[in-house]
Every structure is written in structure tokens, then in C-alpha cells.
Amino acid sequence: RPTSLETITRSEEQAVRADENAEQAGRSAALAVARELAGSAIGVLDIDPELSILLALSAMNEAPTAEAFSEGTVALRRATSRHLLIDRFRIADSEFTDAAISHDGTRLVISSVMGRGASMIDVASGDTLWTFEDTSTNDAFVQVGLSPDGSLAVLTVEDGSIASDLPGVEVDESGADSFPARIVVLDAADGSLRNTIDLECRLPLISGPAFSPDGSLFQVTTGTGGCPHEPADTWVALYDTTTWEEVARIDYATFEGVSFSEDMTRVLVIGRQMPTQLRSWPDMAVLQEFPPAQGAALSPDGTLAALSFTKGGGNTADVRIRLYDTATGYLNDVLTGPESFHTSGPFFSGDGSLLFLGTRSGAYAWDVSTRDLLHTLGTGFSAGVTASFDAALLATAQTDGEALLWDLGGG
């Protein structure tokens, strides 16, 4: 028979256990509520952005665990990003677009695969300033670049053999012809044709910034035969933007493109299966080597190399950006990205304050100085990402055919 003291001790233990169970039940209930609020915040994004923000904040307040708080934070980022979206543009019923914004943020040029052309948009009014079309061809206008001074718009055009395989592109077999793959140079003031450079490569690509920082060079990945799918026959061609003659060729197996420092003394040669290299310009001496990467960019001052990688696959894939010190070659920091696949970038804003990346789940912006993830922009496949020099405006080209304009307020 238990003594009075044993009875009291047992009662206390039962009371403590009951309190613990009640606390755990409360935490489980709060976790369920927080997750439900976070899910509801995402669910009403397109219907009521203001309500979405309130729900996301409520989810963070109710969160009993770091995991639940993180879910609320993600919901809040997506909700607040809707307030950053200031306009949408579409120039054709296309499932693929590319875009480039002027350094001063006043104009936006959009290319359209199905529309087989490009349009220049006035950002303030949303008016179309001009449209360039070539309906005589089956060829797809794949990518677009805008020179730093805003005087030239340049399109890369495939040879027609690829356009017919793209979703959403209807090829007219009766009248339209295909021409060699080419670079189309337009006057950005009125859309008039300035030059055309034929290429042997079936699918010329702009990998990295289309123009060097001073605007003197235009880069395109080209080659012979079936490039870019045959890396041995692929190189980056650099064209003088005054004469449009090829003035340099960077021949480096299985690489993507180049990124120059603002003072044009260094260039990052982006490798996929071979090391990414920092070289001096124009003598091309190797200064540093970094790991192969899906994409890479050199900061305007040349002190940082940002290399992007996708880790994992399927629904568990996530993007990481590694920042390397270009003076020492050492790893400086790792930016943990979204659970998605890399699609475009990374690239630095012209003033070096922000770092951007496009993925299958939207575009992302990090503060370079603090390494904080500042913005999660959209939820769709961002095929192209472009920003004004001061990072006040960002445009994302979506695979659904829209170009979205975001107000970042200078970072």
C-alpha cells in the first residue's frame, strides 16, 4: 500500500505528464493551423494578394517550430512579391519568350518564338514602340539582348529545324521557308534592320550577358554542325558591335559562355564539364580555376565569381550558388536557393548590389553584401531574367509567353 508521500509523488508525475501531453497537443494543433494558413496564403495569391500577406503573417505567428515558421516565411515572400509585380506584357500567343531591359529601366524588348519577332515596350506607359516581325520564315527568334547604351537590340535566330519541335510553335509548311541560323541586329530606336550575320550552328545561344559592359562586344555560343549539342564543335564568338565582324573566339570544350568585369580586364569562361576559368582580357591568361557549373557570373568589380548548381533531382532538387573570391580562388559563401532547377543566370545587377537567378519556380534575388534572399518573384518557369543597372526594375520572361515587370526599388 503506497504511502501518502508516494501517492503525492505519483500524482505530481501524472500531472506533469498531463501538462506535457496537453502542451504537445497544443503544439500539434498550432503546427496544423500554421501550415493551413501558409497553404491558404499561397492559394489566394492570384485572387487577393493583401489577404495572402495577412494569412502568411498569421502562419508565422502561429508557428510552433522553425519548420512551420519557414513555411510561413516562404508564403510571405511569395505574397509580398505580388506587390512588386507592376506590369505584364505579351506580344504573341507563344509559350517561350525572352526579354532584356534597358540600363535606365525605361524600355523593355521582348522576343517571341511563335511571333517570330520582337517588340520594344515603353515601361512607363506600357505602349509598344515598335515591333519587328519575320513571318516569311519558320525560324524561331529564340533570345534577345539590349546594348548597355540602349542603341541596339540583337536577336538570335535558329535555322527552323528546331522551331517545329517546340511546344506552342505551329510551323506553316505551305509558304514559309527556313534560313540559316543567324544574328539579327536592330536599331533599338525604331526596330529597323541594321545587320544580319549568318551562322552554321543550328541553335546559336546567348549564355551570360549578351554584351560586354562597355558595349563593344556581343557574345554568342555558336559552332558547326549540330551545335550546341556537340560541344567539340562549339565556341563563343565575340563580335565587334561597330563592324559586326568576329574579333575573338574562345574555344573551350563543354562550356557555356563568358562574363566580363566592368573594367574589361578579366573574363569568366563558364564551364559545364570542365573547370570554370577566370582569365585576363584580352590575352586570355588563366588566373583562377573554379568547379564546373550550370551557370556563372563575374561581379562588376571582378572580385566575386558566382557559380550555380542544381543539387538532387525530381521534386527534391534545389539550387545552390557558390561565391568564390577571385583573388584567392577560395570559396567565400554558399547561397541556398529554392527547391527547383536552374534555368537562367546567375547574374549581378550592373551596380553589383544584387544577384539574380531564374528557375523553374520563379526568379530570386539576393543582397550581395548581406547574402540575404530578398525577393522571391513569381511561381512559374523563368526562362530569362534581366534587370536595370541600379536593380530598381527586374523583368522575367516566362515560358507561358508573358514578360513580367517587377519593382524592386533599387534592391
Side-chain angles (χ1 to χ4, degrees):
R1 183 175 180 180
T3 65
S4 298
L5 180 60
E6 289 174 338
T7 302
I8 293 172
T9 301
R10 186 175 301 171
S11 298
E12 289 176 342
E13 289 176 350
Q14 291 173 344
V16 169
R17 193 175 299 113
D19 289 342
E20 289 175 347
N21 291 339
E23 183 179 350
Q24 181 59 44
R27 289 172 63 84
S28 297
L31 177 61
V33 170
R35 286 179 168 169
E36 183 178 359
L37 287 168
S40 298
I42 298 297
V44 300
L45 265 177
D46 294 322
I47 304 170
D48 192 337
E50 288 77 13
L51 176 59
S52 181
I53 290 176
L54 293 175
L55 290 170
L57 289 171
S58 297
M60 295 169 68
N61 290 332
E62 292 286 342
T65 66
E67 181 184 2
F69 186 85
S70 177
E71 291 180 16
T73 302
V74 170
L76 181 61
R77 284 202 185 107
R78 291 190 174 180
T80 53
S81 76
R82 280 295 191 271
H83 284 271
L84 301 176
L85 180 63
I86 57 177
D87 218 333
R88 299 171 180 263
F89 305 101
R90 181 187 291 273
I91 64 171
D93 291 330
S94 176
E95 292 192 13
F96 290 88
T97 57
D98 194 24
I101 197 168
S102 62
H103 270 209
D104 62 6
T106 61
R107 293 177 299 160
L108 177 70
V109 62
I110 308 168
S111 66
S112 165
V113 171
M114 192 169 181
R116 300 184 178 91
S119 290
M120 182 70 78
I121 308 296
D122 180 87
V123 169
S125 66
D127 294 337
T128 300
L129 301 177
W130 53 258
T131 296
F132 175 86
E133 293 180 313
D134 189 355
T135 56
S136 66
T137 173
N138 282 326
D139 306 339
F141 287 64
V142 181
Q143 289 175 294
V144 63
L146 195 59
S147 62
D149 65 0
S151 65
L152 298 174
V154 182
L155 298 157
T156 59
V157 188
E158 58 88 48
D159 69 357
S161 60
I162 297 170
S164 59
D165 296 329
L166 293 176
V169 177
E170 297 179 2
V171 174
D172 180 6
E173 302 289 355
S174 60
D177 296 318
S178 292
F179 300 102
R182 57 203 179 277
I183 300 168
V184 174
V185 184
L186 305 177
D187 188 318
D190 57 13
S192 59
L193 182 64
R194 293 271 292 269
N195 209 335
T196 301
I197 300 98
D198 289 344
L199 302 169
E200 185 177 342
C201 178
R202 294 173 54 203
L203 180 60
L205 295 174
I206 301 171
S207 299
F211 289 86
S212 60
D214 64 358
S216 64
L217 298 173
F218 173 81
Q219 69 145 317
V220 63
T221 302
T222 182
T224 60
C227 82
H229 306 294
E230 298 174 6
D233 299 322
T234 305
W235 59 85
V236 165
L238 296 173
Y239 288 86
D240 183 301
T241 55
T242 301
T243 64
W244 287 99
E245 294 180 356
E246 185 179 331
V247 294
R249 180 177 293 186
I250 302 176
D251 193 358
Y252 187 53
T254 62
F255 75 105
E256 284 293 286
V258 297
S259 176
F260 284 92
S261 61
E262 189 173 20
D263 62 7
M264 296 292 291
T265 62
R266 283 157 292 179
V267 59
L268 192 67
V269 180
I270 306 162
R272 275 214 174 212
Q273 298 177 27
M274 301 292 285
T276 294
Q277 293 185 336
L278 179 69
R279 301 183 183 184
S280 58
W281 179 263
D283 61 9
M284 297 299 289
V286 177
L287 304 176
Q288 295 287 358
E289 284 197 345
F290 308 104
Q294 288 181 290
L298 188 61
S299 62
D301 63 6
T303 61
L304 287 176
L307 279 64
S308 64
F309 307 83
T310 298
K311 181 181 179 181
N315 294 327
T316 62
D318 62 88
V319 177
R320 306 287 173 89
I321 297 180
R322 297 177 186 171
L323 297 178
Y324 290 88
D325 186 312
T326 57
T328 64
Y330 294 153
L331 180 64
N332 184 295
D333 209 342
V334 178
L335 306 180
T336 301
E339 293 185 355
S340 187
F341 284 87
H342 165 280
T343 57
S344 61
F347 76 95
F348 290 88
S349 59
D351 63 1
S353 63
L354 296 185
L355 180 65
F356 301 103
L357 183 74
T359 75
R360 292 183 184 179
S361 61
Y364 298 83
W366 287 266
D367 185 298
V368 174
S369 61
T370 66
R371 310 294 199 254
D372 292 334
L373 178 61
L374 295 182
H375 303 296
T376 300
L377 305 165
T379 56
F381 194 127
S382 294
V385 181
T386 175
S388 59
F389 186 87
D390 62 0
L393 291 175
L394 181 81
T396 57
Q398 308 296 117
T399 54
D400 63 3
E402 281 194 320
L404 307 180
L405 187 64
W406 309 87
D407 181 2
L408 304 187

